[in-house]
Amino acid sequence: MSIDRKILLLPGDGIGPEVILEAERVLECLNSKYSLGISIEKALLGGVAYEESGDPLPQETLEKADWSDAILLGAVGGPRWDDLPSEKKPEKGLLRIRAEYDFFANLRPAILSKYLVSASTIKKELVSDLDLLIVRELTGGIYFGEPRGFIEKNKAINTMVYDEEEIIRIGKVGFEAALKRNKKLCSVDKSNVLEVSMLWREVITELAKDYEEVQLSHMLVDNAAMQLVREPKQFDVIVTGNLFGDILSDISAMLTGSIGMLPSASLNESGKGLYEPVHGSAPDIAGKDLANPIAAILSVAMMMRYTFDLEDIAQEIESAVDSVLSEGHRTSDLESEGKLLSTKEMGNEILTKLEL
Ligand code: NAD
């Protein structure tokens, strides 16, 4: 089943190249197993790109990003580049590529395998088998609204603004994601106080008429923060604005307790996506073959699901990861009673399952 699509790999800095190499091996394996006809290219982003060209997002990388249907990114940054001017910093390269393609929909699943419940600080029965998805609006809201800035030395302003179109496009992503899952969507806002949220709630309620199969609920953000910790499994998909999503997605990530396990996706209206692990470049363990590659590998699963619409393959990757965990295999970031696996060894275990 050739899908004739193109993927750009941006390994980046620190542990980025190590985890992306394992994700690439997974991609190559599936490409040949199912004759997907996927073409893969690589390019530089972040500190390595700055070292090579003086720019954290070189023109050549942008050209390859234009060519691709989906981008898989490792991580960028590290102490070596901390003192550069902000335009040259590795993180600036990432922010620019997100802006370049208008990746307005950020999808952050919080999935806790039943084999890793002890990693969470929350009671086992509350988080075992947790599987929720936060859909966060990424290019609007208070992080971008005008006016903004310091009005005087001791007075500053930011503006929360959303228009109907912005709410509709992120709302659709939330409803579509819910359709692919358990058909439950919770829209989070602060409509008891903010007019932006009143509009948000009105527009999402109207949009629900196009998605009769999906059960829609609304929740105020302060309550949502409490409920995520009190009874997280009541949620399936949450859709919310930029600021609330930023905070709620970090709360939900911490429910799982293991940063090396969490993938993410940022999508634009054409379905093009930037897929990346939630973790950073982990300079403390870079180059030591210790990093957990699972977040990067699960980012490939998200790519199969959201850009290529290959749900079966997405599930196959997720099952392979789960099966490896069920056998007790762990990298150094996860609690273990047995021998710890290196990055490569964890990749090998997952590949063995996929090759079956
Ligand atoms: P980090 O996520 O890189 O590391 C936090 C801790 O988690 C470290 O102890 C690290 O060893 C561990 N860790 C992270 N990923 C792991 C993995 N896959 N396997 C095992 N252990 C893992 O966050 P930080 O230390 O705050 O940031 C380090 C650098 O990464 C900074 O330069 C920061 O700007 C950058 N960063 C980049 C991104 C990105 O590229 N999207 C995101 C966050 C941070």
Side-chain angles (χ1 to χ4, degrees), residues 15 19 73-79 82 91 94 98 259-260 276-285 290-293 295 331-333:
I15 60 169
V19 297
L73 170 84
V76 296
D82 278 352
E91 292 77 4
L94 178 53
R98 283 181 183 153
I259 191 156
E276 53 183 319
V278 166
H279 62 72
S281 59
D284 52 335
I285 56 165
L290 287 176
N292 186 348
T331 40
S332 62
D333 54 317

Side-chain angles (χ1 to χ4, degrees), residues 180-283:
K180 288 184 181 166
R181 295 170 47 103
N182 295 322
K183 303 185 173 56
K184 256 176 73 182
L185 179 68
C186 178
S187 170
V188 171
D189 61 40
K190 188 73 185 168
S191 59
N192 54 342
V193 178
L194 301 173
E195 286 77 6
V196 180
S197 283
M198 292 171 199
L199 177 69
W200 179 282
R201 195 173 278 217
E202 206 179 289
V203 173
I204 296 285
T205 304
E206 187 61 28
L207 191 59
K209 293 178 185 160
D210 297 339
Y211 295 92
E212 281 176 358
E213 275 178 77
V214 177
Q215 181 198 332
L216 172 69
S217 61
H218 298 277
M219 197 177 278
L220 298 174
V221 63
D222 39 354
N223 187 24
M226 279 198 304
Q227 295 298 332
L228 271 172
V229 182
R230 195 182 75 86
E231 201 195 332
K233 284 191 271 185
Q234 71 183 280
F235 296 106
D236 182 34
V237 182
I238 290 177
V239 64
T240 189
N242 205 341
L243 172 65
F244 303 154
D246 193 0
I247 299 164
L248 295 183
S249 58
D250 271 16
I251 297 177
S252 57
M254 273 307 100
L255 295 173
T256 72
S258 35
I259 191 156
M261 299 286 305
L262 298 170
S264 78
S266 302
L267 308 175
N268 70 14
E269 265 173 305
S270 74
K272 187 172 183 131
L274 174 71
Y275 296 84
E276 53 183 319
V278 166
H279 62 72
S281 59

Side-chain angles (χ1 to χ4, degrees), residues 104-121:
F104 70 94
N106 183 231
L107 275 55
R108 290 252 307 248
I111 298 169
L112 180 58
S113 157
K114 59 176 166 293
Y115 308 109
L116 293 179
V117 277
S118 57
S120 177
T121 51

Side-chain angles (χ1 to χ4, degrees), residues 54-72:
D55 185 349
L57 177 58
Q59 186 55 32
E60 193 190 333
T61 299
L62 273 176
E63 281 163 18
K64 287 186 176 168
D66 275 347
W67 160 91
S68 70
D69 299 299
I71 301 168
L72 180 66

Side-chain angles (χ1 to χ4, degrees), residues 1-7 26-39 300 304 308 310 313 317:
M1 58 166 165
S2 176
I3 56 167
D4 187 25
R5 305 293 285 273
K6 307 179 193 86
I7 297 173
V26 163
L27 270 169
E28 296 286 12
C29 164
L30 295 166
N31 208 10
S32 87
K33 183 172 174 181
Y34 295 110
S35 308
L36 295 175
I38 288 176
S39 320
V300 173
M304 294 297 143
F308 299 144
L310 295 171
I313 295 185
I317 299 170

Side-chain angles (χ1 to χ4, degrees), residues 69-98:
D69 299 299
I71 301 168
L72 180 66
L73 170 84
V76 296
R80 190 165 159 190
W81 303 289
D82 278 352
D83 296 328
L84 287 175
S86 82
E87 280 309 301
K88 301 285 180 193
K89 282 200 165 134
E91 292 77 4
K92 192 70 182 183
L94 178 53
L95 292 177
R96 275 171 51 205
I97 205 163
R98 283 181 183 153

